[in-house]
Amino acid sequence: MSTAPLKTPFLIAGELPKQSIRDQVYALLRDRLHKGDISTQDRLVDHELAAQLNVSRMPVREALLQLKNEGYLEGTSRGFILPQFTPEDIADMFEVRLLLEPAAAAIACQNSKVDGLGKMTVAVENAEKAHLKADVLGYMSANWAFWVAWMDMVPNRRLAQVIYRLRDHAQVVRLATLQDTEFRELSLHHTKEILAAFVKRDTEAVKDRVAHNLRMSAASYYAKQEALMGAEAA
């Protein structure tokens, strides 16, 4: 397991005077988690990250511990890694997301704005470009931008916060499935369908398509895991 190198420039403290160094490190690592820059093979070690960022070790460790306490990382004797969820954990997450996300998407559709729809459209275009180049991380970043664009149109921020947390915890699912070209193509197709429903302001279609996309993600994840188990058994 390797230590994940930083691919995102660190924020200069003077540029964001309202944020502490710990907050900046936390925001940077959360952004990398969202974009898929941190994989299940990576290990985050506080003193190594501190050296890369040219900051002291303590704020980095505090940021990592905060991510651990929020369930985004797991602590080990040699650093922090992505959580190792059981199949039951994944099933529970999808069950809750299916209860919340489709309804939230319908509310977002009701409250949609031109700029939000524009951001969703650009994200789909970027996702398609990344898919054609087999750029998995680029696709994940664009997919995240699409999701954030419609989530920003959900007026109930407490609801949005809960959904954000659940989606963050499901990062292991995206890392496992979006590597597959066929699944990524299917994901892109469903994303386009969701966008089309938003543009038409068809709340029922938005709700149905978001739910269908979640079910497809769950099915693809389980199929991937079964295939891996079969390969190991062979």
Side-chain angles (χ1 to χ4, degrees):
M1 185 175 288
S2 62
T3 300
L6 287 174
K7 302 174 186 177
T8 308
F10 184 54
L11 305 174
I12 305 302
E15 294 177 354
L16 291 171
K18 294 182 180 180
Q19 283 191 306
S20 67
I21 297 298
R22 183 196 67 179
D23 291 340
Q24 292 183 60
V25 174
Y26 173 86
L28 173 61
L29 293 175
R30 278 287 302 275
D31 184 62
R32 294 185 65 211
L33 285 167
H34 294 157
K35 293 178 178 178
D37 286 343
I38 299 173
S39 76
T40 54
Q41 302 303 310
D42 291 324
R43 186 181 298 277
L44 302 174
V45 182
D46 53 8
H47 65 85
E48 294 178 357
L49 287 173
Q52 293 176 34
L53 298 172
N54 194 28
V55 298
S56 62
R57 180 179 180 180
M58 187 54 67
V60 174
R61 181 156 187 81
E62 289 175 349
L64 289 168
L65 286 172
Q66 183 178 347
L67 288 166
K68 174 181 176 292
N69 292 335
E70 293 174 350
Y72 298 117
L73 297 174
E74 285 185 356
T76 72
S77 59
R78 295 189 297 112
F80 297 82
I81 59 175
L82 289 180
Q84 306 297 305
F85 292 119
T86 66
E88 291 76 17
D89 292 330
I90 300 296
D92 288 346
M93 283 186 233
F94 272 114
E95 183 178 0
V96 178
R97 289 183 69 190
L98 276 166
L99 290 171
L100 298 180
E101 260 182 73
I107 294 170
C109 182
Q110 292 173 345
N111 292 273
S112 62
K113 301 291 188 296
V114 173
D115 61 334
L117 294 174
K119 291 177 182 177
M120 293 172 69
T121 301
V122 170
V124 169
E125 292 172 352
N126 289 337
E128 185 157 31
K129 291 175 184 176
H131 172 62
L132 292 174
K133 294 189 294 185
D135 178 3
V136 177
L137 293 184
Y139 182 86
M140 290 181 68
S141 180
N143 184 263
W144 169 253
F146 176 83
W147 190 84
V148 168
W150 73 254
M151 280 297 298
D152 281 347
M153 294 187 287
V154 176
N156 187 328
R157 300 320 296 167
R158 288 185 182 275
L159 173 61
Q161 186 177 34
V162 172
I163 296 173
Y164 266 99
R165 183 71 60 86
L166 286 166
R167 193 180 193 278
D168 284 348
H169 289 171
Q171 178 70 358
V172 64
V173 176
R174 290 186 291 283
L175 288 169
T177 56
L178 289 175
Q179 302 280 346
D180 185 274
T181 302
E182 184 176 348
F183 171 74
R184 202 167 58 247
E185 185 171 353
L186 189 59
S187 169
L188 178 61
H189 172 71
H190 289 159
T191 302
K192 288 180 177 180
E193 287 190 333
I194 293 170
L195 174 61
F198 262 94
V199 170
K200 293 178 181 178
R201 289 183 176 272
D202 187 338
T203 56
E204 285 304 311
V206 165
K207 189 174 181 178
D208 290 344
R209 289 170 185 175
V210 168
H212 180 68
N213 187 54
L214 282 169
R215 293 190 184 98
M216 180 272 297
S217 297
S220 297
Y221 174 76
Y222 295 131
K224 181 76 172 180
Q225 297 309 302
E226 288 179 5
L228 290 174
M229 292 175 64
E232 290 176 359

